[in-house]
Amino acid sequence: MLSLVLIGYGPIASYVRDHLPKDSGVKIAAVLCRPGREDTARAFGGADVMIATDVSDLPTDQLDLAVDCAGHGGLTDHGVALLQAGVKVLSLSVGAMADPDLAQRLEAAAQKGKTQLEFATGAIGGIDALSSAKIGGLSQVRYVARKPPLGWAGTPAETVMDLATITKPTEHFRGPAREAALRYPKNANVAAMVALAGLGLDATEAVLIADPTAKGNHHAIEASGTFGTITIQLEGKTLPDNPKSSALAAMSMVRSILRHTASIAI
């Protein structure tokens, strides 16, 4: 039985809880939440699930995997302590790796705990092909994100355009994936995933576009190297109960968890 601790209890965590098959050999043993949120977390987890606000309160020797469903804050607040305690961490918050100090502390903690920080592929496909192509040599990788204008609300895009009135696709960022991930922490996990799978955060170009004609969140990868060329396009939907959470990202988290118990993994 694979024993999990969930970090957070929001839309991604709810999807994970609801879509783990009963016969999967996976058990949600605990939920980590913010202080003062214990009652809500308890209602989410049920009577048999331990609720904690700090890693020090958890029986880490009885946990196999920590599943970070709380965004960058969850990984920043709890990732180092979990890894140091020897608990493998699975996260969607790959954009947090754009912070060199945090990335270094997470890597050092994983080495100390003799464990691993793993990132689910999230809202994009083709990461396996891109990371394989990296072995032979990549010469260029570009990631392009198109979202409806209001999908960029609350981001630096608001400082360069009026999102409510634009009538045609308008680019509001072009630059290194690291800068995109740091400036758009809630919107650029995909840019960071593409970058880390390929040429790295500083050599991967990210282009962010507000597009009033877009029906959903559109992701594209263009890459070339000794292997040939890759062009991947994906238009993703959000979770029905949360327009800010990618449905495919939630699905990728469940898939990653189930790979830990599968006799044959793909």
Side-chain angles (χ1 to χ4, degrees), residues 27-186:
K27 175 186 177 182
I28 299 174
V31 175
L32 265 173
C33 67
R34 293 178 181 176
R37 307 283 180 87
E38 293 91 339
D39 288 346
T40 306
R42 191 168 291 108
F44 163 86
D48 296 331
V49 175
M50 179 182 180
I51 305 301
T53 59
D54 191 82
V55 174
S56 63
D57 299 326
L58 293 171
T60 52
D61 59 336
Q62 300 174 32
L63 299 171
D64 301 304
L65 183 66
V67 180
D68 169 31
C69 304
H72 291 198
L75 185 61
T76 301
D77 292 344
H78 303 296
V80 168
L82 284 162
L83 292 166
Q84 285 180 338
V87 181
K88 184 173 182 176
V89 176
L90 173 65
S91 177
L92 286 167
S93 303
V94 64
M97 299 297 284
D99 179 342
D101 177 66
L102 177 59
Q104 184 177 34
R105 288 191 291 114
L106 288 167
E107 184 174 7
Q111 291 172 348
K112 181 178 180 180
K114 295 181 172 57
T115 188
Q116 190 177 54
L117 170 60
E118 175 186 346
F119 289 105
T121 53
I124 190 64
I127 295 302
D128 54 344
L130 189 60
S131 58
S132 297
K134 178 181 179 180
I135 303 300
L138 285 163
S139 55
Q140 177 264 336
V141 179
R142 176 183 295 116
Y143 165 68
V144 182
R146 293 176 182 267
K147 295 185 180 184
L150 293 183
W152 299 107
T155 75
E158 292 182 321
T159 66
V160 295
M161 67 183 69
D162 185 348
L163 294 172
T165 61
I166 63 170
T167 58
K168 62 181 180 180
T170 305
E171 180 180 307
H172 56 86
F173 176 87
R174 180 183 292 263
R178 184 186 301 277
E179 185 179 350
L182 291 172
R183 292 181 61 188
Y184 297 77
K186 295 182 179 180

